[in-house]
Amino acid sequence: MKAKTTTRDTARKPNLREQVYGIVRERIQMGLIRLEDRLVDHDIAEELEVSRMPVREALMQLKSEGLLEGTARGFVLRRFTLGEMNEIFEIRTLLEPAAAAAASVHAGPKGLADMKAALERAEDAHARTDIDEFMRSNAHFRWAWLTMVPNRELAEVISRYIDHVQVVRLVTMDDQEIRSIVLQGMRGLYEAFLSGDTELVRIRMLGHARAAAACYYSAYQKMLEQSAQEQAINRA
């Protein structure tokens, strides 16, 4: 069992709980865990061939960080209120532009190559309407620039807030127009990183974060309208 390295540097080998935590969190980031999925410690322990205790501890940690919520049987992705989403997007627009600008100063050949590769995979996935691959490529693109942020604590905080809005991606990425907007933002950010213009990076990241918020609000409005229509049909 091997967990993906997170944005936090560690000198020691992760213990079993940390490994399980990394695996589950990565699955959340990659869109492999859906709104209807239920995470049960026994099932995950059996899959990973470990005892239930480290799995339970990892799930509880994800719950304490606001990524999961408990149910009568297992855990599910946390559902956020509109007010909570407003606050999360506000935090992202405050933190991400400055972090991306700092990352661009330290951008090296590997980081830029990783961004380019993820962008190209996202473009291909979008053309094939492969939503799962698009979400995975989008996650890899984020990891690529976050690994270049010199302030590792800041990078970790941003990573967690980005994880919080995974629910947004699950309800918006099936929309071709929204995927096009996301892809445009990725291209713009990558080009800004290539230019070495830190102010341009800051501006484009701010626009990217605001576009993500606008996409969510659009999807949220559609869900409200659909719910109203279904209620009207049920009353008829």
Side-chain angles (χ1 to χ4, degrees):
M1 179 178 62
K2 183 178 180 181
K4 180 177 177 65
T5 303
T6 65
T7 53
R8 182 187 297 275
D9 291 329
T10 55
R12 62 176 178 78
K13 182 179 178 180
N15 60 36
L16 197 54
R17 174 191 59 78
E18 292 168 335
Q19 292 183 58
V20 174
Y21 168 89
I23 290 172
V24 177
R25 185 178 172 191
E26 180 180 0
R27 290 178 179 180
I28 293 173
Q29 294 169 330
M30 302 286 278
L32 299 177
I33 297 174
R34 301 287 182 168
L35 288 169
E36 65 274 12
D37 292 336
R38 194 172 298 275
L39 305 179
V40 181
D41 55 6
H42 178 272
D43 295 340
I44 297 174
E46 183 176 349
E47 176 197 351
L48 300 180
E49 299 181 344
V50 299
S51 63
R52 293 178 64 179
M53 183 57 68
V55 175
R56 180 72 180 178
E57 292 174 346
L59 294 175
M60 289 300 295
Q61 181 179 349
L62 289 164
K63 179 178 181 293
S64 69
E65 293 174 356
L67 299 180
L68 300 176
E69 57 186 29
T71 68
R73 182 177 180 273
F75 298 82
V76 295
L77 290 178
R78 180 180 169 188
R79 274 65 166 172
F80 292 90
T81 66
L82 183 58
E84 289 170 333
M85 291 304 304
N86 288 337
E87 293 177 352
I88 289 173
F89 280 122
E90 181 180 2
I91 291 171
R92 288 187 59 186
T93 57
L94 289 172
L95 298 182
E96 291 181 30
S104 69
V105 175
H106 297 81
K110 183 182 184 306
L112 293 172
D114 289 344
M115 290 179 72
K116 180 181 179 181
L119 174 60
E120 290 176 346
R121 290 197 301 271
E123 290 173 334
D124 178 67
H126 178 58
R128 294 184 289 104
T129 319
D130 187 337
I131 299 171
D132 289 341
E133 177 59 26
F134 185 87
M135 292 177 65
R136 286 191 289 270
S137 301
N138 188 24
H140 284 137
F141 186 85
R142 291 193 302 275
W143 288 332
W145 75 262
L146 277 171
T147 57
M148 295 187 285
V149 176
N151 186 325
R152 305 313 303 151
E153 290 296 328
L154 175 60
E156 182 65 21
V157 169
I158 290 173
S159 180
R160 287 181 180 173
Y161 274 111
I162 290 176
D163 291 349
H164 285 169
V165 295
Q166 180 60 28
V167 173
V168 176
R169 301 182 194 102
L170 294 175
V171 302
T172 60
M173 289 302 180
D174 60 344
D175 187 309
Q176 183 177 2
E177 183 178 351
I178 289 178
R179 290 199 310 275
S180 295
I181 293 172
V182 172
L183 197 55
Q184 181 180 358
M186 293 168 65
R187 289 194 196 103
L189 188 59
Y190 172 65
E191 292 168 357
F193 264 82
L194 280 181
S195 74
D197 186 336
T198 57
E199 181 61 15
L200 181 60
V201 171
R202 187 192 68 79
I203 292 171
R204 291 195 174 173
M205 178 54 79
L206 178 60
H208 194 44
R210 286 175 173 170
C215 289
Y216 172 73
Y217 297 136
S218 175
Y220 184 82
Q221 183 61 37
K222 289 180 181 178
M223 286 189 294
L224 289 180
E225 293 172 356
Q226 181 179 357
S227 177
Q229 291 174 357
E230 291 175 351
Q231 291 178 11
I233 292 173
N234 291 334
R235 288 196 300 265

